[in-house]
Amino acid sequence: MDSSTNSLDDVSADSSAEFPDRASVMEVRLQAQEDEITLLKSSLADALRRLRLHDQLLPLLKQQLIAVNPGAARVLNQVCCSDGCTSSRKLSSSSAPDGRHTANSQVSNNIVTIENGHIGSPVSLEPRPRPPTLDRSTQTEPTIPGQDAGLDRVPLALTRAVQSLQLEDALPEGEPVAEGGRAKLHRIPGLEEEDEEQEEDEDGGGEQDKELSWASSVEEPIQPTTIRGVQREDFQDANGSPEEQSSASPSSAPSKDQSPTPRAGPLSHIQEGEKKQLVRRNSEKLGKDNPERNRKRLDKKAASSANLLTRSPSLESRAKELIAGAGSPGSRRGTYSQGQSIKMFIRGRPITMYIPSNIQNYEDLKMEPPSEKLELDWVYGYRGRDCRANLYFLPSGEAVYFIACVVVLYHINNRTQRHYRKHTDCVRCLTLHPDKVRVASGQMAGVDKDGKPLQPCVHIWDSTSLVTLQQIGLGTFERGVGSVAFSFADSGAFLCVIDDSNEHMLSVWDCTKGTKHAEVKSTNEAVFAVEFNPSDSTNIITCGKSHVYFWTLSAGQLTKKQGIFGKYKKPKFIQCFVFSLTGDVLTGDSEGNILTWGKSAADVKTLGKGAKETFQIMRQTRAHEGSVFTLCTLQGGGLLSGGGKDRKIIRWSADLAPERECEIPEKFGAVRTIADVDGEELLVGTTRNAILRGTFSDGFVAIVQGHVDEMWGLATHHSQNIFLTCGHDRQVCLWNTEEHKLDWCTTLEEYGLCADFCPSGSVVSVGLSTGRWLVLDLLTREVVSESTDGNEQLSVMRYSPDGSFLAVGSHDNFIYIYNVTESGRRYTRFGKCNGHSSFITHLDWSKDGKYIMSNSGDYEILYWDVAAGCKLLRNRFESKDREWASYTCVLGFHVMGVWLEGSDGTDINALCRSHSERVVAVADDFCKVHLFQYPCPKPKAPSHRYEGHGSHVTNVCFTHNDSHLLSMGGKDTCILQWRVQGGSGGGGGGAGDSRERLTSASSTSTSTSSPEPAAT
């Protein structure tokens, strides 16, 4: 890479606010559109599924009516037979080839529904024909010659004429019907998630008939006591002979006095839990069907019903419990029984949550903020990749620098940190007052959670007390603050600021009053640095892309003169400058030169009479290969320069003669800035976000390190105070939470996105962007195992509690399960969980290590029986009381309250429940970390909110003893370590407490936010 290329790369990062990355913006928009399409597809699939579910519930709801009062069913069957006899004969005579009359009744039975404690029923006994497109009539299969009487007869749609039943015909004579009641479809717990079985022809080529969705509303709720008053009557067919009895299955034949006839097909007995789909067929097609094919269809239906009954033996009892508890006149929505569920909506899509059995009254649950709170303990990282002049050494022995929204004061000998935290968005620039105590720091504009811009400003604060002394320019600057500088000649009375607007406005402020003294447009090009002349506060210099400007402040007005390059090659970028002891200006540029600037008399011959003095290059000194990124003056008049491409630090004499030089290791990147400690010892900030400490004689060692690109993978050890991170910079880093340092770092071929420690404690698995995953030894850093699952990125790695299984969640919609042996060093494929319709986002194991709960990109919650061969548990109701070893799934009943109203599904990136099961930490998309009570099952739950990150928070995780919480930013490359204060301390044993909080009804509390002190 030549010097110009290196400079271009550098300025593109520095001027990101001025020249937005259009490709990134378009990529974000494209991704948003793709997300919308995915959600629309999911919503359509969900709507079609619910239409099928409505048809599936017809036989079950009819069976509920039978369970309440068999007499009512027989009356309805009698009406069906008497009203449908004539039409059946007409139909059979015209459609049957052999002239036989088929015993089919064509009655549309409005469904009996249950909600809010009421039972609805069919409402009319008078035949009322309706348009064919609005009906959902039912029939029985035609009687096939030689067919066994014991085969299941499944209701099917046959005719276009529809008849309905009136409620008054089912009531005892003289009993009035109340008005105003309306019944809706009641969903049996666990069934709405069932997949419907599709009927197929024997040769597989049959055309599937279209289904019509329908809804039925009943104007009057029927109480069970009223239904019992329906009179019982026996009836015969039109010829006066009794019909043969038929049953739903051989194992569940009804008693003799309750046996329905073929004419009573719509109300014939149906097995509890049957999930056969009702298929509409016209009469002509049925009349021409092959009898042998019909027989096989009936065999398949009967076997399916029996199989479902075997798999769900408790369905019948649950349905009876719902009916038995639904008749109270005082029933209302919000009184929840054991089988009840609630729904939350994300982007209009309903997500069903089942209430655990230990919650008796969901509405009475009280949500409170947790007693635990967080205090910022340590900040990992430094922002050197795209900022300049952001490292200073204080007389207190502290190095002051920034990352994300935090200005860090790190004592280099005591290894302690203090933090200034009054900024609301990423800090971009920093300068030190001449008194070496006060500090000025400028921030970016940013946006809030609603997309509204936040106003940038400059904070002047005391580095001893961390108290904000002045807030400069709130509402004045545009986009952000790019550079700041104090005046020296008048002991820091003025502050010069350059913002990130297109014109890069230069303004001078009175530090004492906080008022603007002067303002002017500087240039449309990028500006990298600004400084006052140390001996004259009326002279200001700025530099940047292809320019050096010399400004003069007079009577509140700023005028500029441009530096003349003359015979010297004009560099593309002037990266930095300092003032020499003689008053000359020394600049470092992208060509690797140090230029000495001075005043010269006006050239009257060239410029004409009245020409003023100019600033020209007096001397050019070759310094580095590549750019000169920083210059630092020493007390004795010497100079330090830091190179980009050559990574060298060179010490120069006062007359710019090189004296000493050293080269920093390649893994730390180029030199970004230099701070003088005592004339001999130096602090060096690098472009790979590291701060080095050392001398020319002894070399340099890193005292601060961090990632250099977006981070996503975070995992904590199960018994040690260490954690691991990985990200787009292809680095895998192991950190020590006690010593606050980086233990080791290794670079991979692809970037890592997820990780998890094996419970054995000796290895860690890392999922990569290509579908590969590695297992690293914690001591040797060697790869002990690797595998590939699919060709898309992996999003989650999770070991089972005992370490016998590893679950790998991928963006190919699958969860891969591996057997783990030899303490996590050997892996064999066990199975694959197939059922999600979008990429896997989160997953957790149950405490017994047999089940998995998973979330996907289309907001699905699925449960898997791993021990049974990675089987999908279609009845999610049965998993409502299962206990989970960890809780990182962002969708679930126990964490439903962490979602804000109107969330779009991507607002929460990660969450983590503490090991004590008392609190849950949430990482959101608005740079915030939240701490909620666990469990948190109600909307608008209160929480403590903490700021510090300057980008979306990608992950959070508690340490093994819950003493600390780790949060990780995305683009800000910052890791924050929070100390957990209050509560019952770390360790386990909190599961019982969380269950007690779930069942107890504490006082109501509104959603509040706990303010956090600005400095810790």
Side-chain angles (χ1 to χ4, degrees):
M1 180 191 302
D2 58 17
S3 60
S4 63
T5 304
N6 183 69
S7 301
L8 279 173
D9 294 340
D10 183 64
V11 75
S12 64
D14 283 77
S15 57
S16 59
E18 179 186 7
F19 305 104
D21 190 347
R22 296 185 179 180
S24 299
V25 173
M26 295 302 296
E27 182 179 355
V28 171
R29 291 181 179 176
L30 179 61
Q31 183 63 42
Q33 293 176 354
E34 291 177 351
D35 292 344
E36 291 288 348
I37 294 174
T38 301
L39 290 175
L40 288 175
K41 290 181 180 179
S42 301
S43 299
L44 178 59
D46 185 68
L48 295 175
R49 177 176 61 85
R50 291 182 180 278
L51 293 180
R52 294 194 298 269
L53 289 173
H54 284 190
D55 297 336
Q56 171 189 335
L57 288 176
L58 286 174
L60 289 177
L61 295 171
K62 292 175 183 176
Q63 180 60 26
Q64 292 177 4
L65 178 61
I66 295 173
V68 173
N69 195 317
R74 287 194 296 277
V75 171
L76 297 179
N77 286 337
Q78 177 184 4
V79 175
C80 293
C81 292
S82 61
D83 289 341
C85 182
T86 305
S87 59
S88 297
R89 289 175 178 172
K90 291 180 180 180
L91 178 62
S92 60
S93 62
S94 62
S95 61
D98 58 353
R100 295 182 181 179
H101 296 284
T102 58
N104 297 311
S105 62
Q106 48 184 55
V107 178
S108 175
N109 297 287
N110 286 338
I111 207 164
V112 179
T113 61
I114 300 173
E115 184 172 345
N116 302 338
H118 303 298
I119 301 179
S121 74
V123 296
S124 177
L125 292 177
E126 293 295 328
R128 287 186 286 181
R130 295 182 181 178
T133 58
L134 297 178
D135 76 317
R136 170 63 74 182
S137 56
T138 56
Q139 70 159 26
T140 57
E141 289 281 5
T143 304
I144 306 300
Q147 180 176 334
D148 292 340
L151 289 177
D152 184 18
R153 301 186 176 181
V154 181
L156 297 172
L158 175 64
T159 66
R160 297 199 178 265
V162 178
Q163 299 182 30
S164 59
L165 304 177
Q166 291 291 344
L167 173 64
E168 291 83 358
D169 297 308
L171 296 178
E173 185 175 357
E175 184 161 346
V177 179
E179 295 185 359
R182 180 173 297 273
K184 300 179 182 178
L185 185 63
H186 176 76
R187 307 190 68 81
I188 303 298
L191 284 184
E192 65 268 17
E193 301 299 332
E194 295 282 353
D195 290 338
E196 292 76 16
E197 300 177 9
Q198 304 292 332
E199 290 189 350
E200 299 178 356
D201 291 336
E202 182 182 3
D203 56 359
E207 182 179 359
Q208 185 178 3
D209 298 287
K210 296 182 179 180
E211 297 181 285
L212 299 177
S213 65
W214 67 292
S216 175
S217 61
V218 181
E219 297 299 330
E220 167 55 27
I222 304 178
Q223 302 297 338
T225 55
T226 305
I227 298 178
R228 295 191 188 98
V230 179
Q231 300 299 320
R232 168 186 171 187
E233 295 183 11
D234 295 328
F235 55 89
Q236 296 179 344
D237 64 358
N239 297 328
S241 60
E243 294 288 345
E244 294 180 3
Q245 296 180 349
S246 62
S247 60
S249 65
S251 62
S252 58
S255 59
K256 182 176 181 180
D257 60 340
Q258 297 179 359
S259 299
T261 68
R263 292 187 183 277
L267 290 176
S268 59
H269 183 71
I270 299 174
Q271 292 283 2
E272 286 284 359
E274 181 179 358
K275 62 173 183 178
K276 264 304 176 183
Q277 175 179 321
L278 298 181
V279 182
R280 176 181 292 275
R281 298 184 177 88
N282 56 44
S283 57
E284 290 77 12
K285 182 176 179 179
L286 283 176
K288 298 177 183 179
D289 270 345
N290 189 332
E292 184 63 25
R293 179 173 296 177
N294 289 337
R295 179 188 297 275
K296 292 185 177 181
R297 284 176 181 165
L298 293 174
D299 288 337
K300 184 184 296 184
K301 293 171 185 175
S304 176
S305 297
N307 181 45
L308 182 60
L309 185 64
T310 302
R311 289 189 288 114
S312 184
S314 61
L315 184 59
E316 181 176 3
S317 61
R318 289 206 304 270
K320 290 180 178 179
E321 289 175 3
L322 286 173
I323 295 172
S328 171
S331 297
R332 59 180 178 84
R333 190 174 183 86
T335 300
Y336 293 82
S337 60
Q338 180 178 357
Q340 192 61 275
S341 64
I342 56 177
K343 290 182 180 179
M344 66 175 289
F345 291 82
I346 295 183
R347 302 190 75 168
R349 175 166 183 168
I351 303 175
T352 303
M353 311 282 187
Y354 291 103
I355 302 176
S357 302
N358 60 332
I359 299 181
Q360 302 301 323
N361 297 295
Y362 174 79
E363 292 292 338
D364 293 338
L365 289 178
K366 303 300 187 297
M367 295 291 99
E368 295 181 341
S371 58
E372 292 84 350
K373 294 184 178 181
L374 301 180
E375 180 185 3
L376 186 58
D377 178 49
W378 200 264
V379 177
Y380 299 90
Y382 156 73
R383 184 168 180 172
R385 69 190 188 281
D386 60 352
C387 292
R388 290 175 169 79
N390 61 348
L391 176 63
Y392 294 90
F393 185 74
L394 302 177
S396 61
E398 295 171 307
V400 55
Y401 58 92
F402 59 78
I403 183 172
C405 302
V406 183
V407 182
V408 181
L409 296 93
Y410 174 60
H411 199 289
I412 61 175
N413 293 324
N414 299 339
R415 296 184 55 83
T416 57
Q417 281 187 357
R418 296 186 298 140
H419 312 105
Y420 178 78
R421 298 178 53 201
K422 286 295 186 179
H423 286 286
T424 58
D425 206 270
C426 283
V427 182
R428 182 67 188 278
C429 55
L430 187 73
T431 190
L432 189 60
H433 194 273
D435 62 10
K436 305 294 184 181
V437 175
R438 281 177 282 180
V439 177
S441 50
Q443 70 172 60
M444 303 298 294
V447 295
D448 62 10
K449 66 182 183 65
D450 297 322
K452 298 179 181 179
L454 297 174
Q455 295 177 334
C457 62
V458 176
H459 288 190
I460 300 176
W461 47 280
D462 190 299
S463 63
T464 303
S465 62
L466 301 179
V467 173
T468 303
L469 304 176
Q470 194 68 255
Q471 192 176 44
I472 301 293
L474 186 64
T476 301
F477 308 124
E478 185 177 342
R479 296 181 185 169
V481 179
S483 301
V484 290
F486 281 108
S487 60
F488 283 81
D490 49 16
S491 301
F494 294 99
L495 179 73
C496 185
V497 181
I498 296 182
D499 70 6
D500 283 331
S501 64
N502 291 336
E503 296 82 10
H504 294 93
M505 301 297 295
L506 188 153
S507 56
V508 178
W509 299 77
D510 188 315
C511 295
T512 304
K513 300 178 181 179
T515 57
K516 188 190 302 181
H517 187 63
E519 184 178 35
V520 68
K521 296 179 181 180
S522 63
T523 176
N524 289 333
E525 302 291 351
V527 179
F528 296 157
V530 61
E531 286 288 348
F532 282 92
N533 189 319
S535 59
D536 186 0
S537 295
T538 61
N539 291 333
I540 302 173
I541 298 178
T542 62
C543 71
K545 183 178 180 181
S546 302
H547 75 269
V548 177
Y549 290 148
F550 298 83
W551 300 84
T552 300
L553 176 61
S554 176
Q557 299 293 325
L558 285 164
T559 57
K560 73 176 178 181
K561 292 183 180 180
Q562 184 169 356
I564 306 301
F565 288 90
K567 63 179 181 180
Y568 297 97
K569 179 182 178 182
K570 187 176 184 179
K572 183 167 291 187
F573 301 104
I574 304 297
Q575 306 277 13
C576 55
F577 68 90
V578 293
F579 291 89
S580 68
L581 294 181
T582 60
D584 294 332
V585 177
L586 306 178
T587 62
D589 60 37
S590 56
E591 299 296 326
N593 298 319
I594 298 177
L595 303 177
T596 303
W597 297 77
K599 290 182 181 181
S600 62
D603 189 352
V604 178
K605 294 181 181 180
T606 304
L607 301 178
K609 187 177 180 180
K612 300 180 180 180
E613 61 183 4
T614 59
F615 293 89
Q616 296 182 352
I617 298 174
M618 310 299 293
R619 178 183 176 187
Q620 177 177 288
T621 304
R622 183 65 179 172
H624 292 273
E625 180 183 358
S627 293
V628 179
F629 278 158
T630 184
L631 295 171
C632 175
T633 56
L634 300 176
Q635 292 181 356
L639 180 70
L640 296 173
S641 65
K645 187 175 180 180
D646 60 9
R647 307 188 312 280
K648 289 183 178 180
I649 302 174
I650 301 177
R651 178 167 180 163
W652 306 82
S653 64
D655 58 355
L656 293 182
E659 295 180 344
R660 305 186 67 177
E661 70 175 48
C662 68
E663 183 178 328
I664 65 174
E666 183 179 2
K667 64 180 180 179
F668 298 128
V671 179
R672 175 62 77 188
T673 186
I674 301 174
D676 179 25
V677 176
D678 56 8
E680 183 67 23
E681 189 175 23
L682 305 176
L683 296 178
V684 180
T686 73
T687 57
R688 292 189 64 82
N689 293 348
I691 297 179
L692 312 181
R693 178 186 182 186
T695 63
F696 285 98
S697 302
D698 301 331
F700 292 86
V701 295
I703 58 174
V704 175
Q705 289 179 265
H707 284 269
V708 296
D709 206 343
E710 187 170 3
M711 302 180 294
W712 281 93
L714 173 65
T716 55
H717 198 275
H718 296 278
S719 59
Q720 301 178 29
N721 294 316
I722 56 176
F723 67 97
L724 182 135
T725 59
C726 56
H728 290 189
D729 57 3
R730 298 187 295 113
Q731 290 188 136
V732 176
C733 300
L734 187 71
W735 308 83
N736 190 303
T737 60
E738 282 188 332
E739 300 180 7
H740 307 120
K741 68 181 184 68
L742 179 67
D743 282 346
W744 55 259
C745 178
T746 185
T747 303
L748 306 177
E749 296 178 0
E750 302 105 19
Y751 59 81
L753 294 171
C754 52
D756 193 29
F757 284 92
C758 181
S760 67
S762 60
V763 297
V764 61
S765 60
V766 181
L768 307 180
S769 59
T770 58
R772 290 179 61 229
W773 53 273
L774 311 174
V775 181
L776 303 176
D777 187 285
L778 292 180
L779 296 179
T780 65
R781 311 179 211 174
E782 295 179 354
V783 177
V784 298
S785 178
E786 67 175 290
S787 183
T788 302
D789 291 315
N791 57 3
E792 298 192 44
Q793 69 182 47
L794 303 180
S795 52
V796 57
M797 310 283 290
R798 190 79 65 214
Y799 284 93
S800 61
D802 59 357
S804 59
F805 289 104
L806 172 65
V808 181
S810 172
H811 269 229
D812 63 6
N813 304 358
F814 299 132
I815 301 175
Y816 301 90
I817 308 297
Y818 284 83
N819 268 322
V820 182
T821 54
E822 299 180 10
S823 299
R825 298 175 181 273
R826 181 177 177 83
Y827 297 80
T828 56
R829 175 74 72 83
F830 176 79
K832 180 171 68 173
C833 299
N834 180 10
H836 274 293
S837 55
S838 185
F839 57 90
I840 312 302
T841 58
H842 307 84
L843 66 86
D844 292 291
W845 286 89
S846 61
K847 289 186 176 181
D848 57 12
K850 297 180 180 179
Y851 301 92
I852 284 178
M853 169 176 57
S854 58
N855 292 167
S856 61
D858 58 352
Y859 321 131
E860 276 186 323
I861 308 173
L862 296 185
Y863 299 89
W864 312 86
D865 188 344
V866 176
C870 303
K871 177 183 176 182
L872 173 63
L873 299 178
R874 299 186 181 275
N875 189 352
R876 296 196 294 113
F877 176 82
E878 297 178 353
S879 299
K880 63 186 177 67
D881 293 327
R882 191 161 286 124
E883 294 185 352
W884 303 100
S886 63
Y887 213 118
T888 61
C889 287
V890 297
L891 296 174
F893 174 81
H894 294 82
V895 295
M896 186 177 64
V898 306
W899 289 89
L900 297 177
E901 187 175 357
S903 296
D904 69 351
T906 61
D907 292 346
I908 294 179
N909 296 314
L911 61 80
C912 181
R913 183 191 67 190
S914 64
H915 299 88
S916 65
E917 300 186 18
R918 292 182 53 86
V919 294
V920 58
V922 175
D924 71 14
D925 227 23
F926 311 110
C927 316
K928 305 296 187 296
V929 175
H930 300 261
L931 198 64
F932 288 87
Q933 166 190 300
Y934 181 86
C936 182
K938 296 194 70 175
K940 300 181 180 179
S943 68
H944 301 308
R945 186 182 68 178
Y946 301 92
E947 301 178 347
H949 285 288
S951 176
H952 54 288
V953 187
T954 57
N955 217 331
V956 287
C957 197
F958 284 95
T959 56
H960 69 96
N961 58 359
D962 291 339
S963 62
H964 293 84
L965 173 73
L966 297 159
S967 63
M968 191 163 62
K971 291 294 186 180
D972 65 13
T973 68
C974 176
I975 305 171
L976 300 182
Q977 179 174 310
W978 307 85
R979 184 183 299 109
V980 180
Q981 295 182 327
S984 59
D993 294 339
S994 65
R995 286 191 290 268
E996 289 179 7
R997 288 199 302 272
L998 204 60
T999 55
S1000 63
S1002 57
S1003 60
T1004 304
S1005 63
T1006 58
S1007 178
T1008 58
S1009 174
S1010 174
E1012 184 69 13
T1016 58

